[in-house]
Short mmCIF file of all heavy atoms in Angstrom, two decimals:
data_model
loop_
_atom_site.label_atom_id
_atom_site.label_comp_id
_atom_site.label_asym_id
_atom_site.label_seq_id
_atom_site.Cartn_x
_atom_site.Cartn_y
_atom_site.Cartn_z
N ALA A 205 8.70 -6.58 4.16
CA ALA A 205 7.30 -6.54 3.71
C ALA A 205 6.74 -5.14 3.88
O ALA A 205 6.84 -4.54 4.96
CB ALA A 205 6.46 -7.54 4.49
N LEU A 206 6.15 -4.62 2.80
CA LEU A 206 5.44 -3.35 2.85
C LEU A 206 4.00 -3.66 3.27
O LEU A 206 3.27 -4.34 2.54
CB LEU A 206 5.48 -2.70 1.47
CG LEU A 206 4.78 -1.34 1.29
CD1 LEU A 206 5.32 -0.30 2.25
CD2 LEU A 206 4.91 -0.88 -0.15
N VAL A 207 3.61 -3.22 4.45
CA VAL A 207 2.33 -3.62 5.05
C VAL A 207 1.39 -2.42 5.12
O VAL A 207 1.70 -1.40 5.76
CB VAL A 207 2.54 -4.23 6.45
CG1 VAL A 207 1.22 -4.80 6.97
CG2 VAL A 207 3.61 -5.32 6.41
N LEU A 208 0.24 -2.56 4.46
CA LEU A 208 -0.76 -1.50 4.38
C LEU A 208 -2.11 -2.04 4.83
O LEU A 208 -2.37 -3.25 4.76
CB LEU A 208 -0.90 -0.98 2.95
CG LEU A 208 0.35 -0.60 2.16
CD1 LEU A 208 -0.02 -0.23 0.74
CD2 LEU A 208 1.06 0.55 2.84
N SER A 209 -2.98 -1.12 5.22
CA SER A 209 -4.34 -1.54 5.58
C SER A 209 -5.28 -0.35 5.48
O SER A 209 -4.86 0.82 5.53
CB SER A 209 -4.36 -2.10 7.00
OG SER A 209 -5.60 -2.73 7.28
N ASP A 210 -6.55 -0.66 5.31
CA ASP A 210 -7.65 0.30 5.46
C ASP A 210 -7.44 1.57 4.63
O ASP A 210 -7.47 2.68 5.16
CB ASP A 210 -7.83 0.63 6.94
CG ASP A 210 -8.27 -0.57 7.76
OD1 ASP A 210 -9.48 -0.88 7.74
OD2 ASP A 210 -7.41 -1.22 8.38
N SER A 211 -7.30 1.39 3.33
CA SER A 211 -7.19 2.54 2.42
C SER A 211 -8.55 3.13 2.08
O SER A 211 -8.64 4.29 1.69
CB SER A 211 -6.46 2.13 1.14
OG SER A 211 -7.09 1.03 0.52
N HIS A 212 -9.61 2.34 2.18
CA HIS A 212 -10.99 2.83 2.10
C HIS A 212 -11.26 3.78 0.93
O HIS A 212 -11.72 4.90 1.12
CB HIS A 212 -11.40 3.49 3.42
CG HIS A 212 -11.66 2.51 4.53
ND1 HIS A 212 -12.85 1.80 4.63
CD2 HIS A 212 -10.88 2.10 5.56
CE1 HIS A 212 -12.79 1.01 5.69
NE2 HIS A 212 -11.60 1.17 6.27
N GLY A 213 -10.95 3.32 -0.27
CA GLY A 213 -11.29 4.10 -1.45
C GLY A 213 -10.28 5.16 -1.83
O GLY A 213 -10.61 6.08 -2.59
N ASN A 214 -9.06 5.02 -1.37
CA ASN A 214 -8.01 5.98 -1.70
C ASN A 214 -6.83 5.26 -2.37
O ASN A 214 -5.79 5.04 -1.74
CB ASN A 214 -7.53 6.73 -0.45
CG ASN A 214 -6.67 7.93 -0.79
OD1 ASN A 214 -6.05 7.98 -1.84
ND2 ASN A 214 -6.60 8.89 0.11
N PRO A 215 -7.00 4.89 -3.64
CA PRO A 215 -5.89 4.21 -4.32
C PRO A 215 -4.68 5.11 -4.52
O PRO A 215 -3.55 4.62 -4.64
CB PRO A 215 -6.50 3.79 -5.66
CG PRO A 215 -7.62 4.77 -5.89
CD PRO A 215 -8.17 5.06 -4.53
N ARG A 216 -4.91 6.43 -4.54
CA ARG A 216 -3.80 7.35 -4.80
C ARG A 216 -2.73 7.27 -3.71
O ARG A 216 -1.53 7.27 -4.00
CB ARG A 216 -4.33 8.78 -4.94
CG ARG A 216 -3.26 9.78 -5.32
CD ARG A 216 -3.86 11.13 -5.73
NE ARG A 216 -2.82 12.11 -5.90
CZ ARG A 216 -2.46 13.00 -4.98
NH1 ARG A 216 -3.10 13.03 -3.82
NH2 ARG A 216 -1.49 13.87 -5.21
N VAL A 217 -3.15 7.22 -2.45
CA VAL A 217 -2.16 7.14 -1.38
C VAL A 217 -1.45 5.80 -1.42
O VAL A 217 -0.23 5.71 -1.19
CB VAL A 217 -2.79 7.41 0.00
CG1 VAL A 217 -3.76 6.30 0.42
CG2 VAL A 217 -1.70 7.57 1.05
N MET A 218 -2.17 4.73 -1.72
CA MET A 218 -1.55 3.42 -1.83
C MET A 218 -0.47 3.42 -2.92
O MET A 218 0.64 2.92 -2.73
CB MET A 218 -2.61 2.35 -2.14
CG MET A 218 -2.05 0.95 -2.30
SD MET A 218 -3.31 -0.28 -2.68
CE MET A 218 -4.20 -0.37 -1.13
N GLN A 219 -0.80 4.01 -4.05
CA GLN A 219 0.15 4.03 -5.16
C GLN A 219 1.34 4.93 -4.88
O GLN A 219 2.46 4.64 -5.31
CB GLN A 219 -0.59 4.46 -6.43
CG GLN A 219 -1.55 3.39 -6.92
CD GLN A 219 -2.67 3.92 -7.80
OE1 GLN A 219 -2.57 5.02 -8.35
NE2 GLN A 219 -3.75 3.15 -7.94
N ALA A 220 1.12 5.99 -4.12
CA ALA A 220 2.24 6.85 -3.74
C ALA A 220 3.20 6.12 -2.81
O ALA A 220 4.43 6.23 -2.93
CB ALA A 220 1.72 8.12 -3.07
N ILE A 221 2.67 5.34 -1.88
CA ILE A 221 3.50 4.56 -0.97
C ILE A 221 4.29 3.52 -1.74
O ILE A 221 5.50 3.33 -1.53
CB ILE A 221 2.63 3.88 0.11
CG1 ILE A 221 2.00 4.94 1.02
CG2 ILE A 221 3.45 2.89 0.94
CD1 ILE A 221 0.89 4.41 1.90
N ILE A 222 3.61 2.82 -2.64
CA ILE A 222 4.28 1.78 -3.44
C ILE A 222 5.39 2.40 -4.29
O ILE A 222 6.50 1.85 -4.37
CB ILE A 222 3.26 1.05 -4.32
CG1 ILE A 222 2.31 0.22 -3.44
CG2 ILE A 222 3.96 0.15 -5.34
CD1 ILE A 222 1.10 -0.32 -4.17
N SER A 223 5.13 3.55 -4.90
CA SER A 223 6.13 4.21 -5.74
C SER A 223 7.36 4.61 -4.93
O SER A 223 8.49 4.56 -5.43
CB SER A 223 5.53 5.43 -6.42
OG SER A 223 4.52 5.06 -7.34
N ALA A 224 7.15 4.99 -3.67
CA ALA A 224 8.25 5.47 -2.84
C ALA A 224 9.03 4.35 -2.16
O ALA A 224 10.24 4.48 -1.94
CB ALA A 224 7.72 6.44 -1.79
N PHE A 225 8.36 3.23 -1.83
CA PHE A 225 9.00 2.21 -1.00
C PHE A 225 9.01 0.81 -1.60
O PHE A 225 9.70 -0.06 -1.08
CB PHE A 225 8.30 2.15 0.38
CG PHE A 225 8.46 3.39 1.19
CD1 PHE A 225 7.56 4.43 1.09
CD2 PHE A 225 9.53 3.53 2.06
CE1 PHE A 225 7.70 5.59 1.85
CE2 PHE A 225 9.68 4.68 2.83
CZ PHE A 225 8.78 5.71 2.72
N GLY A 226 8.24 0.59 -2.65
CA GLY A 226 8.11 -0.76 -3.18
C GLY A 226 9.40 -1.36 -3.71
O GLY A 226 9.61 -2.57 -3.61
N ASP A 227 10.28 -0.52 -4.25
CA ASP A 227 11.53 -1.02 -4.81
C ASP A 227 12.36 -1.80 -3.79
O ASP A 227 13.09 -2.73 -4.14
CB ASP A 227 12.39 0.14 -5.33
CG ASP A 227 11.86 0.72 -6.63
OD1 ASP A 227 10.96 0.10 -7.22
OD2 ASP A 227 12.33 1.78 -7.03
N ASP A 228 12.26 -1.37 -2.53
CA ASP A 228 13.13 -1.92 -1.50
C ASP A 228 12.46 -3.05 -0.71
O ASP A 228 13.01 -3.50 0.29
CB ASP A 228 13.55 -0.80 -0.54
CG ASP A 228 14.73 -1.18 0.33
OD1 ASP A 228 15.64 -1.85 -0.18
OD2 ASP A 228 14.74 -0.81 1.52
N CYS A 229 11.27 -3.48 -1.16
CA CYS A 229 10.53 -4.50 -0.42
C CYS A 229 10.34 -5.75 -1.25
O CYS A 229 10.25 -5.70 -2.48
CB CYS A 229 9.17 -3.96 0.02
SG CYS A 229 9.31 -2.63 1.25
N ASP A 230 10.27 -6.88 -0.56
CA ASP A 230 10.12 -8.18 -1.23
C ASP A 230 8.67 -8.52 -1.51
O ASP A 230 8.38 -9.33 -2.38
CB ASP A 230 10.74 -9.28 -0.37
CG ASP A 230 12.22 -9.06 -0.12
OD1 ASP A 230 13.00 -9.21 -1.07
OD2 ASP A 230 12.58 -8.72 1.03
N CYS A 231 7.76 -7.94 -0.73
CA CYS A 231 6.35 -8.25 -0.93
C CYS A 231 5.50 -7.12 -0.37
O CYS A 231 5.95 -6.31 0.45
CB CYS A 231 5.97 -9.58 -0.26
SG CYS A 231 6.23 -9.63 1.53
N LEU A 232 4.27 -7.08 -0.85
CA LEU A 232 3.25 -6.18 -0.33
C LEU A 232 2.21 -7.00 0.40
O LEU A 232 1.73 -8.01 -0.12
CB LEU A 232 2.59 -5.40 -1.47
CG LEU A 232 1.36 -4.56 -1.12
CD1 LEU A 232 1.76 -3.38 -0.25
CD2 LEU A 232 0.66 -4.07 -2.38
N CYS A 233 1.86 -6.59 1.62
CA CYS A 233 0.83 -7.27 2.39
C CYS A 233 -0.27 -6.26 2.70
O CYS A 233 0.00 -5.21 3.28
CB CYS A 233 1.40 -7.84 3.68
SG CYS A 233 2.65 -9.12 3.44
N PHE A 234 -1.49 -6.59 2.32
CA PHE A 234 -2.63 -5.70 2.55
C PHE A 234 -3.60 -6.37 3.50
O PHE A 234 -4.08 -7.48 3.24
CB PHE A 234 -3.32 -5.37 1.23
CG PHE A 234 -4.44 -4.38 1.38
CD1 PHE A 234 -4.18 -3.08 1.78
CD2 PHE A 234 -5.75 -4.75 1.14
CE1 PHE A 234 -5.22 -2.16 1.94
CE2 PHE A 234 -6.80 -3.85 1.29
CZ PHE A 234 -6.52 -2.54 1.70
N CYS A 235 -3.92 -5.67 4.61
CA CYS A 235 -4.72 -6.26 5.67
C CYS A 235 -6.21 -5.94 5.57
O CYS A 235 -6.94 -6.06 6.55
CB CYS A 235 -4.19 -5.80 7.03
SG CYS A 235 -2.50 -6.34 7.38
N GLY A 236 -6.67 -5.56 4.39
CA GLY A 236 -8.10 -5.47 4.15
C GLY A 236 -8.70 -4.07 4.27
O GLY A 236 -8.09 -3.13 4.76
N ASP A 237 -9.94 -3.96 3.78
CA ASP A 237 -10.73 -2.73 3.69
C ASP A 237 -10.06 -1.72 2.75
O ASP A 237 -9.42 -0.76 3.19
CB ASP A 237 -11.00 -2.14 5.07
CG ASP A 237 -12.30 -2.67 5.66
OD1 ASP A 237 -12.94 -3.53 5.02
OD2 ASP A 237 -12.69 -2.23 6.76
N GLY A 238 -10.29 -1.98 1.49
CA GLY A 238 -9.71 -1.18 0.42
C GLY A 238 -9.27 -2.09 -0.71
O GLY A 238 -8.36 -1.76 -1.47
N LEU A 239 -9.94 -3.22 -0.81
CA LEU A 239 -9.56 -4.23 -1.81
C LEU A 239 -9.54 -3.64 -3.22
O LEU A 239 -8.63 -3.93 -4.00
CB LEU A 239 -10.53 -5.41 -1.75
CG LEU A 239 -10.32 -6.50 -2.80
CD1 LEU A 239 -8.98 -7.20 -2.60
CD2 LEU A 239 -11.46 -7.51 -2.76
#
């Protein structure tokens, strides 16, 4: 599981993480604040 939290208005960093690591993960889990 790729687990992220508290991006607070920064979709760019979230998308960079997903682009780099998402291929190797079964799911994304977001723990809030940055919906």
Side-chain angles (χ1 to χ4, degrees):
L206 180 57
V207 187
L208 311 175
S209 191
D210 295 279
S211 55
H212 285 281
N214 192 336
R216 184 168 172 263
V217 67
M218 179 181 290
Q219 290 157 19
I221 294 167
I222 292 168
S223 294
F225 294 90
D227 286 349
D228 195 39
C229 293
D230 300 289
C231 61
L232 171 69
C233 297
F234 184 65
C235 297
D237 269 3
L239 176 66

